mmCIF file of all heavy atoms in Angstrom:
data_model
loop_
_atom_site.group_PDB
_atom_site.id
_atom_site.type_symbol
_atom_site.label_atom_id
_atom_site.label_comp_id
_atom_site.label_asym_id
_atom_site.label_seq_id
_atom_site.Cartn_x
_atom_site.Cartn_y
_atom_site.Cartn_z
ATOM 1 N N ARG A 1310 93.943 115.892 100.443
ATOM 2 C CA ARG A 1310 94.286 117.307 100.261
ATOM 3 C C ARG A 1310 93.897 117.802 98.862
ATOM 4 O O ARG A 1310 93.532 118.969 98.690
ATOM 5 C CB ARG A 1310 95.786 117.518 100.483
ATOM 6 C CG ARG A 1310 96.254 117.408 101.930
ATOM 7 C CD ARG A 1310 95.753 118.557 102.778
ATOM 8 N NE ARG A 1310 96.244 119.844 102.326
ATOM 9 C CZ ARG A 1310 97.299 120.470 102.847
ATOM 10 N NH1 ARG A 1310 97.969 119.903 103.851
ATOM 11 N NH2 ARG A 1310 97.673 121.646 102.401
ATOM 12 N N TRP A 1313 90.342 118.829 99.229
ATOM 13 C CA TRP A 1313 90.183 120.046 100.026
ATOM 14 C C TRP A 1313 90.657 121.291 99.276
ATOM 15 O O TRP A 1313 90.030 122.343 99.358
ATOM 16 C CB TRP A 1313 90.965 119.922 101.325
ATOM 17 C CG TRP A 1313 90.362 118.965 102.312
ATOM 18 C CD1 TRP A 1313 89.085 118.520 102.345
ATOM 19 C CD2 TRP A 1313 91.042 118.336 103.400
ATOM 20 N NE1 TRP A 1313 88.907 117.651 103.396
ATOM 21 C CE2 TRP A 1313 90.094 117.529 104.063
ATOM 22 C CE3 TRP A 1313 92.340 118.380 103.884
ATOM 23 C CZ2 TRP A 1313 90.412 116.769 105.187
ATOM 24 C CZ3 TRP A 1313 92.663 117.626 105.005
ATOM 25 C CH2 TRP A 1313 91.706 116.822 105.649
ATOM 26 N N ILE A 1342 96.539 110.883 109.720
ATOM 27 C CA ILE A 1342 96.172 112.092 108.988
ATOM 28 C C ILE A 1342 96.178 113.299 109.909
ATOM 29 O O ILE A 1342 96.422 114.422 109.478
ATOM 30 C CB ILE A 1342 94.789 111.924 108.302
ATOM 31 C CG1 ILE A 1342 94.548 113.061 107.305
ATOM 32 C CG2 ILE A 1342 93.666 111.852 109.332
ATOM 33 C CD1 ILE A 1342 93.285 112.884 106.475
ATOM 34 N N HIS A 1343 95.960 113.072 111.207
ATOM 35 C CA HIS A 1343 95.976 114.185 112.163
ATOM 36 C C HIS A 1343 97.386 114.737 112.348
ATOM 37 O O HIS A 1343 97.558 115.934 112.587
ATOM 38 C CB HIS A 1343 95.410 113.727 113.509
ATOM 39 C CG HIS A 1343 93.959 113.380 113.458
ATOM 40 N ND1 HIS A 1343 92.959 114.321 113.577
ATOM 41 C CD2 HIS A 1343 93.330 112.188 113.285
ATOM 42 C CE1 HIS A 1343 91.783 113.722 113.497
ATOM 43 N NE2 HIS A 1343 91.982 112.426 113.309
ATOM 44 N N ASP A 1345 99.605 114.610 109.893
ATOM 45 C CA ASP A 1345 99.897 115.249 108.609
ATOM 46 C C ASP A 1345 99.254 116.630 108.507
ATOM 47 O O ASP A 1345 99.801 117.530 107.852
ATOM 48 C CB ASP A 1345 99.372 114.377 107.461
ATOM 49 C CG ASP A 1345 100.218 113.145 107.225
ATOM 50 O OD1 ASP A 1345 101.414 113.177 107.578
ATOM 51 O OD2 ASP A 1345 99.698 112.147 106.710
ATOM 52 N N VAL A 1346 98.078 116.768 109.124
ATOM 53 C CA VAL A 1346 97.328 118.027 109.037
ATOM 54 C C VAL A 1346 97.001 118.494 110.457
ATOM 55 O O VAL A 1346 95.866 118.393 110.919
ATOM 56 C CB VAL A 1346 96.031 117.845 108.222
ATOM 57 C CG1 VAL A 1346 95.362 119.194 107.955
ATOM 58 C CG2 VAL A 1346 96.306 117.123 106.913
ATOM 59 N N PRO A 1347 97.993 119.029 111.174
ATOM 60 C CA PRO A 1347 97.778 119.381 112.575
ATOM 61 C C PRO A 1347 97.135 120.740 112.801
ATOM 62 O O PRO A 1347 96.633 121.020 113.901
ATOM 63 C CB PRO A 1347 99.193 119.357 113.159
ATOM 64 C CG PRO A 1347 100.064 119.756 112.004
ATOM 65 C CD PRO A 1347 99.411 119.185 110.780
ATOM 66 N N ASN A 1348 97.145 121.604 111.791
ATOM 67 C CA ASN A 1348 96.748 123.002 111.993
ATOM 68 C C ASN A 1348 95.400 123.312 111.337
ATOM 69 O O ASN A 1348 95.017 122.697 110.332
ATOM 70 C CB ASN A 1348 97.813 123.942 111.432
ATOM 71 C CG ASN A 1348 99.171 123.733 112.087
ATOM 72 O OD1 ASN A 1348 99.269 123.517 113.292
ATOM 73 N ND2 ASN A 1348 100.224 123.772 111.287
ATOM 74 N N GLN A 1349 94.721 124.293 111.933
ATOM 75 C CA GLN A 1349 93.454 124.776 111.388
ATOM 76 C C GLN A 1349 93.733 125.707 110.198
ATOM 77 O O GLN A 1349 94.821 126.276 110.105
ATOM 78 C CB GLN A 1349 92.662 125.516 112.478
ATOM 79 C CG GLN A 1349 92.353 124.693 113.696
ATOM 80 C CD GLN A 1349 91.449 123.509 113.386
ATOM 81 O OE1 GLN A 1349 90.871 123.400 112.299
ATOM 82 N NE2 GLN A 1349 91.325 122.601 114.348
ATOM 83 N N PRO A 1350 92.799 125.851 109.263
ATOM 84 C CA PRO A 1350 91.440 125.313 109.314
ATOM 85 C C PRO A 1350 91.291 123.910 108.746
ATOM 86 O O PRO A 1350 90.255 123.282 108.886
ATOM 87 C CB PRO A 1350 90.661 126.303 108.455
ATOM 88 C CG PRO A 1350 91.672 126.731 107.420
ATOM 89 C CD PRO A 1350 92.987 126.804 108.141
ATOM 90 N N LEU A 1351 92.350 123.381 108.089
ATOM 91 C CA LEU A 1351 92.232 122.073 107.443
ATOM 92 C C LEU A 1351 92.009 120.949 108.445
ATOM 93 O O LEU A 1351 91.314 119.976 108.149
ATOM 94 C CB LEU A 1351 93.472 121.783 106.599
ATOM 95 C CG LEU A 1351 93.616 122.582 105.303
ATOM 96 C CD1 LEU A 1351 94.845 122.123 104.537
ATOM 97 C CD2 LEU A 1351 92.365 122.443 104.439
ATOM 98 N N ALA A 1352 92.593 121.065 109.638
ATOM 99 C CA ALA A 1352 92.451 119.993 110.633
ATOM 100 C C ALA A 1352 90.987 119.716 110.942
ATOM 101 O O ALA A 1352 90.588 118.559 111.175
ATOM 102 C CB ALA A 1352 93.208 120.360 111.904
ATOM 103 N N ALA A 1353 90.163 120.758 110.948
ATOM 104 C CA ALA A 1353 88.741 120.581 111.247
ATOM 105 C C ALA A 1353 88.026 119.807 110.152
ATOM 106 O O ALA A 1353 86.999 119.167 110.400
ATOM 107 C CB ALA A 1353 88.078 121.940 111.450
ATOM 108 N N LYS A 1354 88.568 119.858 108.936
ATOM 109 C CA LYS A 1354 87.908 119.174 107.824
ATOM 110 C C LYS A 1354 88.005 117.652 107.940
ATOM 111 O O LYS A 1354 87.256 116.933 107.270
ATOM 112 C CB LYS A 1354 88.510 119.633 106.490
ATOM 113 C CG LYS A 1354 88.185 121.081 106.149
ATOM 114 C CD LYS A 1354 88.615 121.409 104.738
ATOM 115 C CE LYS A 1354 88.187 122.825 104.353
ATOM 116 N NZ LYS A 1354 88.515 123.136 102.943
ATOM 117 N N ILE A 1355 88.937 117.173 108.751
ATOM 118 C CA ILE A 1355 89.054 115.723 108.935
ATOM 119 C C ILE A 1355 87.749 115.151 109.476
ATOM 120 O O ILE A 1355 87.341 114.042 109.122
ATOM 121 C CB ILE A 1355 90.228 115.390 109.878
ATOM 122 C CG1 ILE A 1355 91.547 115.864 109.259
ATOM 123 C CG2 ILE A 1355 90.291 113.897 110.170
ATOM 124 C CD1 ILE A 1355 92.748 115.710 110.180
ATOM 125 N N ASN A 1356 87.085 115.918 110.334
ATOM 126 C CA ASN A 1356 85.827 115.449 110.924
ATOM 127 C C ASN A 1356 84.711 115.327 109.899
ATOM 128 O O ASN A 1356 83.687 114.690 110.167
ATOM 129 C CB ASN A 1356 85.394 116.406 112.045
ATOM 130 C CG ASN A 1356 86.384 116.439 113.188
ATOM 131 O OD1 ASN A 1356 87.032 115.440 113.497
ATOM 132 N ND2 ASN A 1356 86.529 117.595 113.821
ATOM 133 N N ASP A 1357 84.884 115.938 108.729
ATOM 134 C CA ASP A 1357 83.859 115.863 107.688
ATOM 135 C C ASP A 1357 84.029 114.652 106.775
ATOM 136 O O ASP A 1357 83.158 114.381 105.937
ATOM 137 C CB ASP A 1357 83.889 117.138 106.823
ATOM 138 C CG ASP A 1357 83.488 118.378 107.606
ATOM 139 O OD1 ASP A 1357 82.702 118.237 108.556
ATOM 140 O OD2 ASP A 1357 83.966 119.481 107.267
#
Side-chain angles (χ1 to χ4, degrees):
R1310 288 291 298 263
W1313 288 340
I1342 192 173
H1343 294 276
D1345 286 335
V1346 189
N1348 301 320
Q1349 302 296 349
L1351 288 183
K1354 291 189 175 184
I1355 298 174
N1356 297 327
D1357 294 331

